[in-house]
Amino acid sequence: MHVPDGFLDAPTSVGTAVVAVAAVGVALRGARRELDDRTAPLAGLVALFVFATQMINFPIAAGTSGHLLGGALAAVLVGPFTATLAITVVLIVQAILMADGGITALGTNITLMGVVGVWVGWGVFTLVRAVLPKRTAMVVPAAALGALVSVPTAALGFSVLFALGGNADVPFSTVATAMVGVHVVIGIGEALITALAVASIVLTRPDLVHGAKPLLAQRELTIRTAVSA
Amino acid sequence: MGAGHGHHLHFHGHSRVHHLPAHVKLVTLLTFVVAVVLTPRTAYWAYGVHLLLVLVAQRASRVPFGYFAKRMVVETPFVVFALLVPFVATGPTVSVGPLDLSRPGLESAWALLAKGTLGVMASLVVATTTEPRHVVAGLEKLRLPNLLVQIMGFMVRYLEVVTGELARMRIARESRGFRARSFRAWPSLASTAGALFIRSYERGERVHLAMLARGYQGQLPVTHPLTATPAQWRVAGAIPGIAVLTLLAAVAL
């Protein structure tokens, strides 16, 4: 999903770069509000977590495997502002140090994955969380749906950009059908992995899951009397 | 999508390319790639010149060509995309053997492949010759927002620690007889990711406290400011300079 150099024309690349710069500016301010002076080390380690989990290969079938993209997962775990920063930094490092994603397409990649991927995931997550019963375990299905929707939406975003400024005369419907089709399948895998990962964290450290905070705050203290053996 | 990302891309060496300051290389890379992207797709000779320029830089770095070429697999998903374009693009068609292909589609596929490949090659020349921490310093010199520089600095600094943690967790799983072969492995792998998140977050908290104990107030000191001599700018600037001249010639012709 990393767009390389020369896929989109110059005006589209510049346009998405402007969007990316504005979004990262907002995220810098928002993350500082969430984490104050803890922002740098924590967002750095979260970026590294996203980067490292992309190295875990999930076997699919016949020797193929896929990996997590992590936009929605990061949004649920640390909040959308910090997640945008983390994904942005991951994309910059991948573009410059791994040649993955073009350097002139960095704005496009940040817009698609760091902004659309994260914020659509977060938006769907909060909507679902509002509907479901107010229990911390309900964070898991909400996160899964967030991931499920965010991946094809980012692919749709790419199709729209390709229709606006793609360097090829391919009809929008063809690109959109293929891209969204493939990414619905990827999104299902992403949803499953996101759900499993969030479930394992909610079980042990629910206080670290940003998306579970409003639910944790509603929890009442219960005192259980233990029976000594 | 595609393969995972290896992180040992830097190839230790002492060539002229290795010794150029990181911010010079980043400016060079960006200018070169912009020139490539703007080159008209039918100016085939210009792409030949661009390719020659990248190869000159690659040979000057004295990084073995095989090491360099192997890293180009990152491009694969979009190569597949580009190869499909002639089959689905609109416009007049040409017969290539038994296939009817779109002529504008073929031109687009050529342009996508040429620009994408040159971009990957140019980025790889920088990636194989520049240490990650120097890239961070270079971006700081180029006025990337300080908080973003710090986040990237922490990511790069703890890269080996966290990927090492992940490798130890894999060894621990495998020593208990775990083999990732089917969907049944997903819960174990996902809880690995969960454990990795908890450990990374807690490490972040400990790092923050350790920094506070050393007087951190939101800024990291710059101990070795990057400087570049005019000679270094001239050496590095020759490549994007020629690329821009090629672009201008291609547009004018």
Side-chain angles (χ1 to χ4, degrees):
Chain A
M1 188 84 182
H2 291 48
V3 180
D5 291 307
F7 247 70
L8 302 173
D9 63 12
T12 316
S13 302
V14 173
T16 52
V18 171
V19 172
V21 168
V24 170
V26 172
L28 281 170
R29 217 165 285 180
R32 230 198 281 260
R33 209 172 41 239
E34 279 170 7
L35 298 170
D36 58 73
D37 70 337
R38 294 186 302 156
T39 304
L42 278 178
L45 268 297
V46 170
L48 193 43
F49 159 72
V50 172
F51 179 82
T53 42
Q54 290 185 352
M55 302 196 322
I56 304 178
N57 278 315
F58 285 80
I60 297 168
T64 58
S65 64
H67 71 78
L68 196 67
L69 301 169
L73 177 64
V76 171
L77 292 178
V78 293
F81 293 113
T82 313
T84 296
L85 290 185
I87 304 272
T88 299
V89 167
V90 168
L91 289 170
I92 297 176
V93 166
Q94 285 174 340
I96 298 179
L97 291 172
M98 278 98 202
D100 198 358
I103 191 142
T104 57
L106 205 48
T108 309
N109 284 321
I110 292 173
T111 304
L112 288 175
M113 287 182 265
V115 182
V116 176
V118 166
W119 283 92
V120 168
W122 177 253
V124 171
F125 169 79
T126 47
L127 284 180
V128 175
R129 187 183 61 183
V131 176
L132 290 175
K134 303 283 173 280
R135 276 188 284 125
T136 46
M138 291 299 127
V139 170
V140 175
L145 283 172
L148 180 66
V149 176
S150 84
V151 176
T153 310
L156 187 66
F158 170 79
S159 313
V160 171
L161 291 179
F162 199 76
L164 287 176
N167 282 329
D169 301 323
V170 184
F172 170 72
S173 58
T174 314
V175 179
T177 314
M179 283 298 284
V180 174
V182 169
H183 284 84
V184 164
V185 179
I186 297 176
I188 292 171
E190 179 89 3
L192 283 172
I193 302 168
T194 301
L196 290 165
V198 170
S200 77
I201 299 166
V202 159
L203 213 57
T204 44
R205 288 292 302 270
D207 57 313
L208 289 191
V209 180
H210 184 272
K213 282 201 175 127
L215 305 175
L216 275 181
Q218 291 173 1
R219 259 195 194 171
E220 285 186 19
L221 179 68
T222 54
I223 299 168
R224 296 171 193 167
T225 43
V227 183
S228 56
Chain B
M1 202 174 195
H5 307 283
H7 53 279
H8 292 286
L9 209 53
H10 174 251
F11 189 90
H12 184 77
H14 295 283
S15 73
R16 270 176 116 171
V17 186
H18 281 84
H19 283 299
L20 285 173
H23 65 290
V24 175
K25 279 189 266 193
L26 289 172
V27 172
T28 304
L29 171 65
L30 188 63
T31 319
F32 175 77
V33 177
V34 168
V36 169
V37 168
L38 292 178
T39 303
R41 60 174 67 165
T42 46
Y44 302 112
W45 64 272
Y47 286 93
V49 176
H50 293 322
L51 179 65
L52 203 66
L53 288 172
V54 179
L55 290 176
V56 166
Q58 203 283 322
R59 288 328 299 151
S61 74
R62 296 205 217 118
V63 174
F65 191 75
Y67 180 89
F68 178 85
K70 257 193 291 191
R71 308 295 161 143
M72 291 184 58
V73 292
V74 291
E75 214 199 344
T76 315
F78 272 92
V79 170
V80 173
F81 186 102
L83 290 179
L84 289 175
V85 167
F87 294 93
V88 293
T90 51
T93 57
V94 282
S95 300
V96 181
L99 305 167
D100 279 334
L101 301 177
S102 153
R103 186 188 293 277
L106 278 176
E107 278 177 10
S108 304
W110 142 256
L112 296 180
L113 280 179
K115 291 176 184 182
T117 308
L118 285 169
V120 168
M121 290 174 82
S123 303
L124 277 175
V125 171
V126 173
T128 49
T129 57
T130 318
E131 278 187 52
R133 63 195 173 94
H134 291 153
V135 169
V136 177
L139 288 170
E140 182 165 34
K141 179 91 181 173
L142 296 174
R143 305 284 170 85
L144 193 75
N146 185 269
L147 192 55
L148 221 48
V149 170
Q150 285 190 44
I151 295 173
M152 196 179 303
F154 282 106
M155 175 176 170
V156 164
R157 188 174 304 168
Y158 289 95
L159 188 67
E160 298 295 325
V161 177
V162 171
T163 53
E165 192 139 46
L166 194 62
R168 286 194 298 281
M169 287 155 96
R170 180 178 55 77
I171 292 168
R173 282 196 311 271
E174 286 175 1
S175 60
R176 288 166 178 77
F178 176 84
R179 289 277 300 279
R181 265 183 305 217
S182 72
F183 284 106
R184 273 189 296 258
W186 284 27
S188 314
L189 292 171
S191 58
T192 301
L196 191 71
F197 171 72
I198 294 172
R199 292 185 192 185
S200 302
Y201 198 93
E202 288 176 343
R203 188 182 299 282
E205 288 177 329
R206 289 198 301 278
V207 168
H208 174 244
L209 290 176
M211 281 161 47
L212 286 183
R214 288 164 179 77
Y216 176 69
Q217 286 180 324
Q219 293 278 326
L220 291 180
V222 178
T223 45
H224 299 289
L226 285 179
T227 50
T229 61
Q232 285 174 320
W233 278 112
R234 273 197 299 276
V235 169
I239 285 178
I242 297 172
V244 170
L245 289 179
T246 311
L247 163 69
L248 293 178
V251 172
L253 287 176

